Amino acid sequence: AAPSEHQAYWRARVAELAGHRPRIGLTWSGSPSHRTDRQRSIPFERIAAALRRRPDCAFFALQKAVPEVHPPHLHDLSAELLTFGDTAGLIEEMDLVITVDTSAVHLAGSMGKHTWLLLPHRYEWRWSLEGEGNRWYDAVRVLRQPRHGDWESVIGEAFGERLACFLA
């Protein structure tokens, strides 16, 4: 759970920005210096295109380095995310977290938050190599590329019918 001193702040901050729209935390890239970052990170342009098709949702970046030009319903609170306690407070207010393989998946998963992990094809044995389940967190569903480099399928699944069903 988020530290209690962060909960009230993030509850009010998210309510102010999201109103009554579904709240979705989002991480599309990790540290560029990570050895597999080219595989695990998704170019922001691909994510932005998917977000433009979902104006009914309020998206919250759970990462730093948010491009200056982004859809208006993607809220960049990176200047306010000073500690993991802040990130946990923000995640706690989300209905869903959609993320690549970064610390966000571990934080959300350990909090029991509904999370969809977007993975490259045959990426990492720790997340299993098939299926949506994983050994670590019951609340995390793994969505992986059907073919190497095919982010469009994964993004389409996450932001299309699957999201519509989740929000219904």
Side-chain angles (χ1 to χ4, degrees):
S4 58
E5 62 269 18
H6 296 303
Q7 292 175 358
Y9 174 80
W10 287 107
R11 186 175 303 113
R13 186 73 170 111
V14 168
E16 165 194 345
L17 296 168
H20 296 291
R21 291 178 296 162
R23 303 155 180 202
I24 301 170
L26 186 60
T27 306
W28 58 90
S29 66
S31 171
S33 64
H34 189 278
R35 67 179 175 79
T36 60
D37 191 63
R38 282 185 357 158
Q39 283 183 290
R40 71 175 179 165
S41 290
I42 301 173
F44 181 73
E45 303 77 40
R46 291 181 175 180
I47 292 295
L51 299 184
R52 285 186 195 95
R53 294 190 299 268
R54 298 305 314 224
D56 57 326
C57 298
F59 292 95
F60 292 84
L62 300 173
Q63 67 174 61
K64 306 286 185 181
V66 177
E68 231 177 88
V69 177
H70 58 271
H73 58 297
L74 172 62
H75 302 286
D76 175 9
L77 303 175
S78 58
E80 299 172 58
L81 296 176
L82 304 177
T83 68
F84 267 146
D86 289 310
T87 305
L90 181 54
I91 286 173
E92 197 164 280
E93 296 304 313
M94 298 297 104
D95 298 311
L96 171 68
V97 170
I98 301 175
T99 182
V100 294
D101 188 13
T102 68
S103 60
V105 69
H106 297 285
L107 189 55
S110 68
M111 294 172 67
K113 184 60 62 177
H114 289 290
T115 303
W116 298 344
L117 172 60
L118 311 180
L119 285 184
H121 181 69
R122 303 207 42 92
Y123 166 70
E124 179 65 62
W125 65 268
R126 290 177 286 185
W127 292 111
S128 300
L129 297 177
E130 296 178 339
E132 290 190 8
N134 67 86
R135 295 180 176 106
W136 311 105
Y137 311 109
D138 291 336
V140 174
R141 292 286 152 254
V142 178
L143 309 180
R144 62 186 90 242
Q145 293 175 344
R147 293 169 298 287
H148 178 73
D150 184 4
W151 280 122
E152 295 310 315
S153 294
V154 178
I155 293 168
E157 180 180 351
F159 291 90
E161 187 66 27
R162 183 181 285 256
L163 183 55
C165 290
F166 180 83
L167 298 174

Short mmCIF file of all heavy atoms in Angstrom, two decimals, residues 7-62:
data_model
loop_
_atom_site.label_atom_id
_atom_site.label_comp_id
_atom_site.label_asym_id
_atom_site.label_seq_id
_atom_site.Cartn_x
_atom_site.Cartn_y
_atom_site.Cartn_z
N GLN A 7 -1.39 9.21 0.51
CA GLN A 7 -2.71 8.81 0.01
C GLN A 7 -3.66 9.98 -0.22
O GLN A 7 -4.28 10.09 -1.28
CB GLN A 7 -3.35 7.78 0.94
CG GLN A 7 -2.61 6.46 0.90
CD GLN A 7 -3.16 5.46 1.90
OE1 GLN A 7 -4.07 5.74 2.67
NE2 GLN A 7 -2.57 4.28 1.90
N ALA A 8 -3.80 10.86 0.74
CA ALA A 8 -4.76 11.97 0.61
C ALA A 8 -4.36 12.90 -0.53
O ALA A 8 -5.22 13.34 -1.31
CB ALA A 8 -4.85 12.75 1.92
N TYR A 9 -3.07 13.19 -0.65
CA TYR A 9 -2.61 14.07 -1.72
C TYR A 9 -2.98 13.49 -3.08
O TYR A 9 -3.55 14.18 -3.93
CB TYR A 9 -1.09 14.29 -1.64
CG TYR A 9 -0.58 15.09 -2.81
CD1 TYR A 9 -0.71 16.47 -2.85
CD2 TYR A 9 0.00 14.46 -3.91
CE1 TYR A 9 -0.27 17.21 -3.94
CE2 TYR A 9 0.44 15.18 -5.00
CZ TYR A 9 0.30 16.55 -5.01
OH TYR A 9 0.73 17.27 -6.10
N TRP A 10 -2.63 12.22 -3.31
CA TRP A 10 -2.86 11.63 -4.62
C TRP A 10 -4.33 11.40 -4.90
O TRP A 10 -4.78 11.52 -6.04
CB TRP A 10 -2.02 10.36 -4.78
CG TRP A 10 -0.59 10.72 -4.95
CD1 TRP A 10 0.42 10.59 -4.04
CD2 TRP A 10 -0.02 11.38 -6.08
NE1 TRP A 10 1.58 11.11 -4.55
CE2 TRP A 10 1.35 11.60 -5.80
CE3 TRP A 10 -0.51 11.81 -7.30
CZ2 TRP A 10 2.21 12.21 -6.70
CZ3 TRP A 10 0.35 12.43 -8.21
CH2 TRP A 10 1.69 12.61 -7.90
N ARG A 11 -5.12 11.10 -3.89
CA ARG A 11 -6.56 10.94 -4.08
C ARG A 11 -7.14 12.25 -4.63
O ARG A 11 -7.88 12.26 -5.61
CB ARG A 11 -7.24 10.56 -2.77
CG ARG A 11 -8.71 10.22 -2.93
CD ARG A 11 -9.33 9.71 -1.63
NE ARG A 11 -8.60 8.55 -1.13
CZ ARG A 11 -7.88 8.53 0.01
NH1 ARG A 11 -7.81 9.59 0.77
NH2 ARG A 11 -7.26 7.43 0.39
N ALA A 12 -6.80 13.37 -4.00
CA ALA A 12 -7.31 14.68 -4.43
C ALA A 12 -6.75 15.07 -5.79
O ALA A 12 -7.48 15.59 -6.65
CB ALA A 12 -6.98 15.74 -3.39
N ARG A 13 -5.47 14.83 -6.00
CA ARG A 13 -4.82 15.25 -7.26
C ARG A 13 -5.40 14.50 -8.45
O ARG A 13 -5.71 15.08 -9.48
CB ARG A 13 -3.31 14.99 -7.14
CG ARG A 13 -2.50 15.50 -8.29
CD ARG A 13 -2.40 17.01 -8.26
NE ARG A 13 -1.43 17.47 -9.23
CZ ARG A 13 -1.76 18.13 -10.33
NH1 ARG A 13 -3.02 18.45 -10.57
NH2 ARG A 13 -0.83 18.49 -11.18
N VAL A 14 -5.58 13.21 -8.31
CA VAL A 14 -6.12 12.40 -9.40
C VAL A 14 -7.59 12.75 -9.65
O VAL A 14 -8.02 12.89 -10.80
CB VAL A 14 -5.94 10.89 -9.11
CG1 VAL A 14 -6.73 10.04 -10.07
CG2 VAL A 14 -4.44 10.53 -9.18
N ALA A 15 -8.36 12.94 -8.60
CA ALA A 15 -9.78 13.32 -8.76
C ALA A 15 -9.91 14.64 -9.50
O ALA A 15 -10.77 14.80 -10.37
CB ALA A 15 -10.46 13.40 -7.40
N GLU A 16 -9.02 15.57 -9.19
CA GLU A 16 -9.03 16.88 -9.86
C GLU A 16 -8.80 16.75 -11.36
O GLU A 16 -9.43 17.44 -12.16
CB GLU A 16 -7.93 17.74 -9.22
CG GLU A 16 -7.52 18.98 -9.98
CD GLU A 16 -6.21 19.57 -9.46
OE1 GLU A 16 -5.76 19.20 -8.36
OE2 GLU A 16 -5.64 20.39 -10.18
N LEU A 17 -7.93 15.85 -11.76
CA LEU A 17 -7.57 15.70 -13.17
C LEU A 17 -8.46 14.73 -13.93
O LEU A 17 -8.74 14.93 -15.12
CB LEU A 17 -6.11 15.25 -13.29
CG LEU A 17 -5.07 16.24 -12.78
CD1 LEU A 17 -3.71 15.57 -12.69
CD2 LEU A 17 -5.03 17.47 -13.66
N ALA A 18 -8.92 13.68 -13.28
CA ALA A 18 -9.65 12.63 -13.98
C ALA A 18 -11.16 12.83 -13.96
O ALA A 18 -11.85 12.35 -14.86
CB ALA A 18 -9.32 11.26 -13.37
N GLY A 19 -11.65 13.49 -12.94
CA GLY A 19 -13.10 13.57 -12.82
C GLY A 19 -13.67 12.18 -12.66
O GLY A 19 -13.18 11.39 -11.87
N HIS A 20 -14.69 11.85 -13.45
CA HIS A 20 -15.34 10.54 -13.36
C HIS A 20 -14.87 9.57 -14.44
O HIS A 20 -15.44 8.49 -14.57
CB HIS A 20 -16.86 10.71 -13.43
CG HIS A 20 -17.39 11.50 -12.27
ND1 HIS A 20 -17.39 11.01 -10.99
CD2 HIS A 20 -17.90 12.75 -12.20
CE1 HIS A 20 -17.90 11.92 -10.18
NE2 HIS A 20 -18.19 12.99 -10.89
N ARG A 21 -13.86 9.95 -15.20
CA ARG A 21 -13.34 9.06 -16.24
C ARG A 21 -12.53 7.92 -15.62
O ARG A 21 -11.93 8.09 -14.56
CB ARG A 21 -12.47 9.82 -17.22
CG ARG A 21 -13.26 10.80 -18.08
CD ARG A 21 -12.35 11.58 -19.00
NE ARG A 21 -11.45 12.40 -18.20
CZ ARG A 21 -10.32 12.93 -18.64
NH1 ARG A 21 -9.94 12.74 -19.88
NH2 ARG A 21 -9.57 13.66 -17.85
N PRO A 22 -12.45 6.77 -16.28
CA PRO A 22 -11.57 5.70 -15.81
C PRO A 22 -10.13 6.20 -15.75
O PRO A 22 -9.68 6.98 -16.59
CB PRO A 22 -11.73 4.62 -16.88
CG PRO A 22 -13.05 4.90 -17.51
CD PRO A 22 -13.21 6.39 -17.47
N ARG A 23 -9.40 5.73 -14.75
CA ARG A 23 -8.03 6.19 -14.48
C ARG A 23 -7.05 5.06 -14.79
O ARG A 23 -7.11 4.00 -14.18
CB ARG A 23 -7.93 6.57 -13.01
CG ARG A 23 -8.93 7.63 -12.66
CD ARG A 23 -9.28 7.61 -11.21
NE ARG A 23 -10.26 8.67 -10.93
CZ ARG A 23 -10.45 9.19 -9.77
NH1 ARG A 23 -9.78 8.76 -8.72
NH2 ARG A 23 -11.35 10.13 -9.61
N ILE A 24 -6.14 5.35 -15.71
CA ILE A 24 -5.22 4.31 -16.16
C ILE A 24 -3.79 4.83 -16.04
O ILE A 24 -3.43 5.83 -16.65
CB ILE A 24 -5.53 3.88 -17.60
CG1 ILE A 24 -6.97 3.37 -17.66
CG2 ILE A 24 -4.53 2.84 -18.08
CD1 ILE A 24 -7.50 3.12 -19.03
N GLY A 25 -2.98 4.14 -15.24
CA GLY A 25 -1.56 4.44 -15.12
C GLY A 25 -0.82 3.83 -16.29
O GLY A 25 -1.16 2.73 -16.74
N LEU A 26 0.20 4.52 -16.77
CA LEU A 26 0.85 4.09 -18.00
C LEU A 26 2.36 4.28 -17.94
O LEU A 26 2.85 5.34 -17.54
CB LEU A 26 0.27 4.92 -19.16
CG LEU A 26 0.67 4.59 -20.57
CD1 LEU A 26 0.28 3.17 -20.93
CD2 LEU A 26 0.02 5.57 -21.53
N THR A 27 3.08 3.23 -18.34
CA THR A 27 4.53 3.30 -18.50
C THR A 27 4.88 2.63 -19.82
O THR A 27 4.53 1.48 -20.03
CB THR A 27 5.25 2.55 -17.35
OG1 THR A 27 4.78 3.06 -16.11
CG2 THR A 27 6.74 2.71 -17.44
N TRP A 28 5.51 3.36 -20.71
CA TRP A 28 5.84 2.84 -22.04
C TRP A 28 7.34 2.67 -22.25
O TRP A 28 7.75 2.07 -23.23
CB TRP A 28 5.27 3.74 -23.13
CG TRP A 28 5.77 5.14 -23.04
CD1 TRP A 28 6.90 5.65 -23.64
CD2 TRP A 28 5.21 6.20 -22.28
NE1 TRP A 28 7.06 6.97 -23.28
CE2 TRP A 28 6.02 7.33 -22.45
CE3 TRP A 28 4.08 6.31 -21.45
CZ2 TRP A 28 5.75 8.54 -21.82
CZ3 TRP A 28 3.81 7.51 -20.84
CH2 TRP A 28 4.64 8.61 -21.04
N SER A 29 8.16 3.18 -21.34
CA SER A 29 9.60 3.02 -21.52
C SER A 29 10.32 2.96 -20.19
O SER A 29 9.82 3.45 -19.18
CB SER A 29 10.17 4.15 -22.37
OG SER A 29 10.07 5.37 -21.69
N GLY A 30 11.47 2.34 -20.24
CA GLY A 30 12.32 2.25 -19.06
C GLY A 30 13.59 3.05 -19.26
O GLY A 30 13.68 3.89 -20.16
N SER A 31 14.57 2.75 -18.47
CA SER A 31 15.84 3.45 -18.55
C SER A 31 16.57 3.07 -19.85
O SER A 31 16.77 1.89 -20.13
CB SER A 31 16.72 3.06 -17.36
OG SER A 31 18.02 3.55 -17.54
N PRO A 32 16.98 4.07 -20.62
CA PRO A 32 17.69 3.78 -21.87
C PRO A 32 19.00 3.02 -21.66
O PRO A 32 19.49 2.38 -22.57
CB PRO A 32 17.96 5.17 -22.46
CG PRO A 32 16.98 6.07 -21.82
CD PRO A 32 16.72 5.50 -20.45
N SER A 33 19.55 3.07 -20.46
CA SER A 33 20.81 2.37 -20.21
C SER A 33 20.61 0.90 -19.84
O SER A 33 21.58 0.15 -19.75
CB SER A 33 21.59 3.08 -19.10
OG SER A 33 20.89 3.03 -17.88
N HIS A 34 19.37 0.45 -19.67
CA HIS A 34 19.10 -0.96 -19.35
C HIS A 34 19.48 -1.81 -20.55
O HIS A 34 19.24 -1.44 -21.71
CB HIS A 34 17.60 -1.13 -19.03
CG HIS A 34 17.25 -2.47 -18.50
ND1 HIS A 34 17.04 -3.55 -19.33
CD2 HIS A 34 17.07 -2.90 -17.24
CE1 HIS A 34 16.74 -4.60 -18.59
NE2 HIS A 34 16.75 -4.23 -17.31
N ARG A 35 20.08 -2.96 -20.31
CA ARG A 35 20.62 -3.78 -21.40
C ARG A 35 19.58 -4.25 -22.41
O ARG A 35 19.91 -4.50 -23.56
CB ARG A 35 21.40 -4.97 -20.84
CG ARG A 35 20.55 -5.99 -20.13
CD ARG A 35 21.40 -7.16 -19.63
NE ARG A 35 20.58 -8.07 -18.86
CZ ARG A 35 19.76 -8.96 -19.37
NH1 ARG A 35 19.67 -9.10 -20.67
NH2 ARG A 35 19.03 -9.74 -18.59
N THR A 36 18.31 -4.37 -22.02
CA THR A 36 17.29 -4.82 -22.97
C THR A 36 16.25 -3.72 -23.26
O THR A 36 15.15 -4.02 -23.71
CB THR A 36 16.57 -6.08 -22.45
OG1 THR A 36 15.94 -5.77 -21.21
CG2 THR A 36 17.52 -7.24 -22.30
N ASP A 37 16.62 -2.48 -23.01
CA ASP A 37 15.64 -1.41 -23.17
C ASP A 37 15.10 -1.30 -24.59
O ASP A 37 13.93 -1.01 -24.79
CB ASP A 37 16.21 -0.07 -22.73
CG ASP A 37 15.12 0.97 -22.63
OD1 ASP A 37 14.20 0.79 -21.80
OD2 ASP A 37 15.15 1.95 -23.40
N ARG A 38 15.94 -1.53 -25.59
CA ARG A 38 15.46 -1.43 -26.99
C ARG A 38 14.35 -2.42 -27.26
O ARG A 38 13.47 -2.17 -28.07
CB ARG A 38 16.60 -1.66 -27.96
CG ARG A 38 17.50 -0.48 -28.11
CD ARG A 38 18.54 -0.70 -29.15
NE ARG A 38 18.48 -2.05 -29.73
CZ ARG A 38 18.95 -2.39 -30.89
NH1 ARG A 38 19.55 -1.51 -31.63
NH2 ARG A 38 18.87 -3.61 -31.34
N GLN A 39 14.37 -3.57 -26.58
CA GLN A 39 13.32 -4.56 -26.75
C GLN A 39 12.08 -4.22 -25.95
O GLN A 39 10.97 -4.37 -26.42
CB GLN A 39 13.80 -5.94 -26.28
CG GLN A 39 14.71 -6.66 -27.22
CD GLN A 39 15.03 -8.01 -26.64
OE1 GLN A 39 15.73 -8.12 -25.65
NE2 GLN A 39 14.48 -9.04 -27.25
N ARG A 40 12.25 -3.79 -24.71
CA ARG A 40 11.11 -3.66 -23.79
C ARG A 40 10.38 -2.33 -23.91
O ARG A 40 9.20 -2.26 -23.55
CB ARG A 40 11.55 -3.85 -22.35
CG ARG A 40 12.39 -2.69 -21.82
CD ARG A 40 12.71 -2.83 -20.38
NE ARG A 40 13.52 -1.69 -19.96
CZ ARG A 40 13.74 -1.37 -18.73
NH1 ARG A 40 13.21 -2.08 -17.77
NH2 ARG A 40 14.48 -0.34 -18.44
N SER A 41 11.01 -1.27 -24.34
CA SER A 41 10.36 0.03 -24.43
C SER A 41 9.61 0.17 -25.75
O SER A 41 10.04 -0.34 -26.78
CB SER A 41 11.39 1.16 -24.29
OG SER A 41 11.87 1.21 -22.96
N ILE A 42 8.49 0.90 -25.68
CA ILE A 42 7.65 1.13 -26.85
C ILE A 42 7.82 2.59 -27.26
O ILE A 42 7.71 3.47 -26.40
CB ILE A 42 6.18 0.84 -26.53
CG1 ILE A 42 6.00 -0.61 -26.07
CG2 ILE A 42 5.29 1.13 -27.74
CD1 ILE A 42 4.61 -0.94 -25.56
N PRO A 43 8.07 2.87 -28.53
CA PRO A 43 8.16 4.27 -28.96
C PRO A 43 6.89 5.04 -28.58
O PRO A 43 5.77 4.55 -28.80
CB PRO A 43 8.33 4.18 -30.48
CG PRO A 43 8.91 2.80 -30.70
CD PRO A 43 8.30 1.93 -29.64
N PHE A 44 7.06 6.21 -28.02
CA PHE A 44 5.92 6.98 -27.52
C PHE A 44 4.89 7.25 -28.61
O PHE A 44 3.69 7.27 -28.34
CB PHE A 44 6.38 8.29 -26.88
CG PHE A 44 5.22 9.08 -26.36
CD1 PHE A 44 4.56 8.67 -25.21
CD2 PHE A 44 4.76 10.20 -27.04
CE1 PHE A 44 3.45 9.37 -24.74
CE2 PHE A 44 3.67 10.91 -26.57
CZ PHE A 44 3.01 10.49 -25.41
N GLU A 45 5.32 7.46 -29.84
CA GLU A 45 4.39 7.75 -30.93
C GLU A 45 3.34 6.66 -31.07
O GLU A 45 2.18 6.94 -31.37
CB GLU A 45 5.12 7.93 -32.26
CG GLU A 45 6.18 9.01 -32.26
CD GLU A 45 7.49 8.58 -31.55
OE1 GLU A 45 7.94 7.42 -31.70
OE2 GLU A 45 8.03 9.42 -30.83
N ARG A 46 3.74 5.42 -30.86
CA ARG A 46 2.79 4.29 -30.96
C ARG A 46 1.78 4.34 -29.81
O ARG A 46 0.60 4.08 -30.01
CB ARG A 46 3.54 2.96 -30.96
CG ARG A 46 4.31 2.76 -32.23
CD ARG A 46 5.00 1.43 -32.21
NE ARG A 46 5.64 1.19 -33.49
CZ ARG A 46 6.33 0.10 -33.76
NH1 ARG A 46 6.46 -0.85 -32.85
NH2 ARG A 46 6.90 -0.05 -34.94
N ILE A 47 2.26 4.66 -28.62
CA ILE A 47 1.36 4.76 -27.47
C ILE A 47 0.43 5.96 -27.64
O ILE A 47 -0.77 5.88 -27.39
CB ILE A 47 2.18 4.88 -26.16
CG1 ILE A 47 2.92 3.58 -25.88
CG2 ILE A 47 1.30 5.28 -24.99
CD1 ILE A 47 2.05 2.38 -25.60
N ALA A 48 0.97 7.09 -28.08
CA ALA A 48 0.16 8.30 -28.25
C ALA A 48 -0.98 8.06 -29.23
O ALA A 48 -2.10 8.53 -29.00
CB ALA A 48 1.04 9.46 -28.71
N ALA A 49 -0.73 7.32 -30.30
CA ALA A 49 -1.78 7.01 -31.27
C ALA A 49 -2.90 6.21 -30.61
O ALA A 49 -4.08 6.46 -30.84
CB ALA A 49 -1.20 6.26 -32.46
N ALA A 50 -2.54 5.26 -29.77
CA ALA A 50 -3.55 4.46 -29.06
C ALA A 50 -4.34 5.33 -28.07
O ALA A 50 -5.55 5.18 -27.94
CB ALA A 50 -2.88 3.30 -28.32
N LEU A 51 -3.66 6.24 -27.40
CA LEU A 51 -4.34 7.12 -26.44
C LEU A 51 -5.34 8.03 -27.14
O LEU A 51 -6.42 8.31 -26.59
CB LEU A 51 -3.33 7.97 -25.67
CG LEU A 51 -2.31 7.23 -24.82
CD1 LEU A 51 -1.45 8.23 -24.05
CD2 LEU A 51 -2.95 6.24 -23.90
N ARG A 52 -5.00 8.49 -28.31
CA ARG A 52 -5.91 9.38 -29.05
C ARG A 52 -7.23 8.68 -29.38
O ARG A 52 -8.26 9.34 -29.54
CB ARG A 52 -5.24 9.89 -30.32
CG ARG A 52 -4.20 10.94 -30.03
CD ARG A 52 -3.63 11.56 -31.32
NE ARG A 52 -2.42 12.27 -30.99
CZ ARG A 52 -1.19 11.77 -31.09
NH1 ARG A 52 -1.00 10.55 -31.56
NH2 ARG A 52 -0.14 12.50 -30.76
N ARG A 53 -7.20 7.35 -29.46
CA ARG A 53 -8.43 6.60 -29.72
C ARG A 53 -9.24 6.35 -28.45
O ARG A 53 -10.32 5.78 -28.53
CB ARG A 53 -8.08 5.27 -30.40
CG ARG A 53 -7.48 5.45 -31.79
CD ARG A 53 -7.36 4.13 -32.54
NE ARG A 53 -6.50 3.15 -31.89
CZ ARG A 53 -5.20 3.00 -32.12
NH1 ARG A 53 -4.59 3.80 -32.98
NH2 ARG A 53 -4.51 2.06 -31.51
N ARG A 54 -8.72 6.77 -27.28
CA ARG A 54 -9.40 6.53 -26.00
C ARG A 54 -9.57 7.82 -25.21
O ARG A 54 -9.13 7.92 -24.06
CB ARG A 54 -8.61 5.52 -25.16
CG ARG A 54 -8.44 4.13 -25.75
CD ARG A 54 -9.72 3.44 -26.14
NE ARG A 54 -10.76 3.51 -25.15
CZ ARG A 54 -11.53 2.51 -24.77
NH1 ARG A 54 -11.36 1.32 -25.30
NH2 ARG A 54 -12.48 2.69 -23.89
N PRO A 55 -10.24 8.82 -25.76
CA PRO A 55 -10.43 10.08 -25.01
C PRO A 55 -11.37 9.93 -23.83
O PRO A 55 -11.50 10.85 -23.02
CB PRO A 55 -10.99 11.03 -26.07
CG PRO A 55 -11.69 10.13 -27.04
CD PRO A 55 -10.85 8.88 -27.09
N ASP A 56 -12.03 8.78 -23.72
CA ASP A 56 -12.95 8.51 -22.62
C ASP A 56 -12.23 8.17 -21.32
O ASP A 56 -12.86 8.06 -20.27
CB ASP A 56 -13.90 7.37 -22.99
CG ASP A 56 -13.16 6.09 -23.38
OD1 ASP A 56 -12.05 6.18 -23.97
OD2 ASP A 56 -13.69 5.00 -23.11
N CYS A 57 -10.92 8.02 -21.38
CA CYS A 57 -10.12 7.64 -20.21
C CYS A 57 -9.16 8.76 -19.81
O CYS A 57 -8.75 9.56 -20.65
CB CYS A 57 -9.30 6.39 -20.51
SG CYS A 57 -10.29 4.93 -20.89
N ALA A 58 -8.80 8.79 -18.55
CA ALA A 58 -7.74 9.68 -18.07
C ALA A 58 -6.50 8.82 -17.86
O ALA A 58 -6.53 7.88 -17.06
CB ALA A 58 -8.15 10.36 -16.77
N PHE A 59 -5.43 9.13 -18.58
CA PHE A 59 -4.18 8.38 -18.48
C PHE A 59 -3.20 9.19 -17.64
O PHE A 59 -3.13 10.41 -17.75
CB PHE A 59 -3.60 8.12 -19.87
CG PHE A 59 -4.43 7.17 -20.68
CD1 PHE A 59 -5.38 7.65 -21.58
CD2 PHE A 59 -4.27 5.81 -20.54
CE1 PHE A 59 -6.16 6.78 -22.32
CE2 PHE A 59 -5.05 4.93 -21.28
CZ PHE A 59 -6.00 5.41 -22.17
N PHE A 60 -2.43 8.49 -16.83
CA PHE A 60 -1.45 9.11 -15.94
C PHE A 60 -0.10 8.45 -16.18
O PHE A 60 0.04 7.24 -16.01
CB PHE A 60 -1.86 8.94 -14.47
CG PHE A 60 -3.08 9.72 -14.12
CD1 PHE A 60 -4.35 9.21 -14.37
CD2 PHE A 60 -2.97 10.98 -13.56
CE1 PHE A 60 -5.48 9.94 -14.06
CE2 PHE A 60 -4.09 11.72 -13.24
CZ PHE A 60 -5.36 11.21 -13.50
N ALA A 61 0.89 9.24 -16.57
CA ALA A 61 2.24 8.72 -16.79
C ALA A 61 2.84 8.35 -15.44
O ALA A 61 2.86 9.16 -14.51
CB ALA A 61 3.10 9.76 -17.48
N LEU A 62 3.31 7.14 -15.33
CA LEU A 62 3.97 6.65 -14.11
C LEU A 62 5.49 6.66 -14.29
O LEU A 62 6.19 5.92 -13.63
CB LEU A 62 3.50 5.22 -13.81
CG LEU A 62 2.01 5.04 -13.58
CD1 LEU A 62 1.67 3.56 -13.45
CD2 LEU A 62 1.57 5.81 -12.34
#
